[in-house]
Amino acid sequence: MTWAVAVRVLTQLRRDPRTVALLLVVPCLLISLLWWMFEDSLGDPFDRVGPALIAMFPFTVMFLVTSVTTLRERSSGTLERLLAMPMGKLDFLLGYAVAFGVVAAVQSLLAVTVSVGLLGLDVEGPVWLLCVVAIADAVLGSALGLFVSAFARTEFQAVQFLPAVVFPQILLCGLFVPRDSLPTVLHAASDVLPLSYAVDAMNHLTRDADTGTVWLDVLVVAAFALAALALGAATLRRRTP
Amino acid sequence: MVNNLVEVRGLTVVRDRPVLDGLDVTIGSGVTGLLGPSGCGKSTLLRAIVGVQQVQGGTVTVLGQRAGSAGLRSRIGYVTQEPSVYDDLTVVENLRFFARVLGCADAEVDAAIDAVDLGSHADARVGRLSGGQRSRASLAVALLGAPDLLVLDEPTVGLDPVLRRDLWMLFHRLADEGAAVLVSSHVMDEAERCDQLLLMREGAILAHDTPEAIKRQAGTADVESAFLALVEDAS
């Protein structure tokens, strides 16, 4: 049944080529834009921000797409219909996670290809592991999007969760100020935000060939994603007021 | 005729104000029409029977089980008032998806599409269909898996009279094949097409009988006048 949901979501997405194009192309364009800025004006090597960007864009975009899509499912009545049928809550959420995981994988592959292939991002560790981190991170974005969609009544509200849930993670993930230089309180805050671990893993991969801590970071990101999915399942109610 | 496929006892639903307050009703086989003005609590009662409504009191028993229990989920076909199908999928794709969820064969998909007469639009995207066609696509989903109870919330609203007649014939055919069909409507002239009628107003059942018996008792020629007479008697 997970599979049926995943295939359906992907079929729906295929009907909307504009969204697919935006999903895949926009992160690559933005990464290229930042590369241009950093290389040209600051002389600052792209290597400092590149890894964080590969983690940030898929995370943000997948969060947004997933929260709006699932909200639409709630408001159109199809969710109520599915939950009146023999549909497991976890099957439903995993179906979404698998579908958006596939999209996230394609998106991450593109972002990594552009960063490493075209923009000359130096990666010491294996490039495929960079993709694994990016995918785990994008799935995390999806899982959080699924979860917050439970608290939004309109698509307008769902979009407002982006600055509320995603922006703090971007500000504290080490993109602007390295995490080690953050004030103690903010450092502690960044320790409990999942995006920090994805960015740590990316940074580590670009600087060091040793992969031990990277897997640990991936594990943390995956654990956050699973927890968000479990919380999301808890917000799906078969009976509503 | 089986008389208690659905048993509602003391059903109470409060949403800001009491919508249903200690409602008792039993529903049997055949085609039962639930008629009443908009906002009288029809949808809430139907949702409670399907088991998707949060209730504040009372019991609802469907086919011998508590409403909403897992064993009932594949035995009830439910159509909400708004068509709940995916706009960006075709009719066939919608039906195939729901068939997979219900675990029924793909052959049933074609039968359900034919039953609501959407064969010529099977490959059209639901979002591009007219309102009536979309609600028929939604109805087709409810027919999948040959449910024992069909709960249809205003399935004939806004439809062409010819189509409406065909759908009522379909409801009776399904009832003849053994399914209990519960149809709501706010249009009183649909009353004549039902085996049993439930007249509802402001969260209470005014009358529950055959259309003929209701008209005879009220001494009126049509159900609408009977409804008016019942309201005046009650006040």
Side-chain angles (χ1 to χ4, degrees), chain A residues 15-46:
Chain A
R15 293 289 146 73
D16 187 356
R18 194 173 303 177
T19 298
V20 175
L22 286 169
L23 271 175
L24 299 181
V25 175
V26 168
C28 295
L29 285 178
L30 291 176
I31 290 174
S32 308
L33 176 73
L34 281 157
W35 168 82
W36 191 13
M37 264 165 57
F38 278 84
E39 290 293 308
D40 251 23
S41 52
L42 292 176
D44 199 3
F46 178 58

Side-chain angles (χ1 to χ4, degrees), chain A:
Chain A
M1 215 176 287
T2 300
W3 198 239
V5 175
V7 170
R8 189 212 83 212
V9 173
L10 287 174
T11 313
Q12 283 180 286
L13 207 58
R14 219 181 54 213
R15 293 289 146 73
D16 187 356
R18 194 173 303 177
T19 298
V20 175
L22 286 169
L23 271 175
L24 299 181
V25 175
V26 168
C28 295
L29 285 178
L30 291 176
I31 290 174
S32 308
L33 176 73
L34 281 157
W35 168 82
W36 191 13
M37 264 165 57
F38 278 84
E39 290 293 308
D40 251 23
S41 52
L42 292 176
D44 199 3
F46 178 58
D47 288 16
R48 199 178 75 74
V49 291
L53 293 178
I54 302 178
M56 192 189 95
F57 285 122
F59 175 75
T60 312
V61 174
M62 294 318 287
F63 174 88
L64 196 58
V65 173
T66 317
S67 57
V68 172
T69 319
T70 35
L71 184 76
R72 207 175 280 174
E73 180 114 44
R74 282 176 203 269
S75 54
S76 70
T78 45
L79 182 64
E80 173 166 307
R81 168 168 249 167
L82 283 174
L83 290 178
M85 287 181 172
M87 161 68 76
K89 294 175 189 176
L90 213 57
D91 282 326
F92 174 80
L93 286 177
L94 285 177
Y96 262 96
V98 168
F100 284 124
V102 169
V103 179
V106 177
Q107 189 191 50
S108 303
L109 281 175
L110 278 173
V112 169
T113 308
V114 168
S115 303
V116 176
L118 288 176
L119 307 177
L121 180 72
D122 289 323
V123 181
E124 296 293 326
V127 174
W128 64 266
L129 191 51
L130 201 69
C131 295
V132 171
V133 178
I135 292 167
D137 178 49
V139 170
L140 170 73
S142 287
L144 284 177
L146 282 168
F147 175 58
V148 302
S149 78
F151 303 100
R153 297 207 172 222
T154 60
E155 292 179 21
F156 195 52
Q157 286 178 4
V159 175
Q160 304 306 321
F161 274 106
L162 187 73
V165 176
V166 173
F167 282 17
Q169 303 201 45
I170 294 175
L171 297 179
L172 296 176
C173 73
L175 176 65
F176 296 99
V177 177
R179 289 218 298 139
D180 289 334
S181 321
L182 284 171
T184 322
V185 177
L186 293 183
H187 189 269
S190 78
D191 272 343
V192 295
L193 296 175
L195 186 62
S196 310
Y197 293 89
V199 172
D200 279 356
M202 293 289 189
N203 280 327
H204 192 89
L205 274 170
T206 49
R207 282 169 206 158
D208 202 327
D210 173 48
T211 57
T213 55
V214 174
W215 281 112
L216 206 64
D217 286 328
V218 171
L219 217 62
V220 173
V221 171
F224 268 103
L226 279 178
L229 278 180
L231 285 172
T235 66
L236 292 179
R237 294 254 174 268
R238 290 194 196 266
R239 284 180 187 271
T240 48

Side-chain angles (χ1 to χ4, degrees), chain A residues 1 4-5 8 11-12 14-15 73 76-78 80-87 237-241, chain B residues 15 47 51-54 67 73 78-80 84-86 88-89 93 97-98 101-102 125 138 141-142:
Chain A
M1 215 176 287
V5 175
R8 189 212 83 212
T11 313
Q12 283 180 286
R14 219 181 54 213
R15 293 289 146 73
E73 180 114 44
S76 70
T78 45
E80 173 166 307
R81 168 168 249 167
L82 283 174
L83 290 178
M85 287 181 172
M87 161 68 76
R237 294 254 174 268
R238 290 194 196 266
R239 284 180 187 271
T240 48
Chain B
R15 215 167 18 221
R47 283 169 46 86
V52 295
Q53 175 69 49
Q54 271 175 17
R73 283 183 202 133
Y78 172 43
V79 178
T80 51
S84 35
V85 277
Y86 298 99
D88 35 15
L89 296 182
E93 286 167 342
F97 168 64
F98 286 108
V101 173
L102 289 165
R125 270 192 227 178
S138 188
V141 173

